[in-house]
């Protein structure tokens, strides 16, 4: 398992919707929930703050109002495939007025999360 050494951020625009992916190194679920609260406070006007975290055997993910299975699970699956532990990834979406469909949402959330992970230094 890899553990991030620092935080990362990545922004993606898809059909005028803005997706901001951020990742944080976390040691406990309380750390993850505190960081999630900070992100939500910083993006109060966002349409959605979808997330996933992996901390040892503890995992959690949320679609935060997006259609079931289109945001939280794809973020989690990307973290699992990359083999990253002790990480929280939050993807904030500002809706741009165009519906993306289930496939478009999965691709956008995955790309924003993967972009944020890509910003991590080893």
């Amino acid at each position: 398992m890899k553990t991030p050494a620092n935080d990362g951020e990545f922004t993606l625009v898809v059909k005028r919707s803005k997706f901001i992916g951020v990742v944080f190194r976390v040691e406990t679920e309380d750390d993850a929930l505190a960081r999630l609260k900070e992100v939500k406070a910083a993006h109060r006007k966002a349409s959605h703050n979808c997330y996933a975290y992996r901390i040892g055997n503890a995992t959690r993910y949320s679609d935060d109002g997006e259609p079931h299975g289109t945001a939280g699970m794809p973020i989690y699956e990307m973290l699992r495939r990359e083999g990253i532990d002790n990480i929280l990834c939050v993807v904030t979406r500002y809706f741009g007025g165009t519906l993306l469909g289930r496939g478009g949402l999965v691709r956008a959330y995955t790309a924003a999360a993967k972009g944020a992970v890509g910003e991590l230094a080893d």
Side-chain angles (χ1 to χ4, degrees):
M1 288 275 179
K2 297 183 278 187
T3 300
N6 60 325
D7 302 338
E9 183 173 329
F10 180 81
T11 301
L12 172 71
V13 177
V14 178
K15 295 186 180 179
R16 297 191 325 252
S17 279
K18 185 176 183 181
F19 294 85
I20 305 166
V22 293
V23 290
F24 303 100
R25 178 187 175 122
V26 291
E27 299 297 327
T28 66
E29 286 186 85
D30 288 339
D31 290 345
L33 296 175
R35 287 294 207 146
L36 176 61
K37 188 175 179 179
E38 290 171 14
V39 171
K40 286 183 174 185
H43 296 282
R44 290 188 208 286
K45 294 187 179 189
S47 306
H48 307 279
N49 287 289
C50 304
Y51 70 91
Y53 65 74
R54 294 185 67 195
I55 306 163
N57 291 328
T59 61
R60 182 182 287 179
Y61 52 87
S62 169
D63 295 320
D64 191 36
E66 290 284 24
H68 178 72
T70 60
M73 178 59 87
I75 295 168
Y76 170 77
E77 281 300 315
M78 186 278 306
L79 296 175
R80 187 189 61 75
R81 280 191 310 272
E82 296 289 323
I84 305 172
D85 198 20
N86 287 40
I87 189 168
L88 164 69
C89 180
V90 183
V91 179
T92 299
R93 179 184 185 194
Y94 287 91
F95 182 62
T98 303
L99 296 176
L100 302 179
R102 293 183 69 81
L105 288 172
V106 169
R107 286 187 296 276
Y109 278 103
T110 300
K114 192 166 183 84
V117 166
E119 294 296 313
L120 298 173
D122 290 325

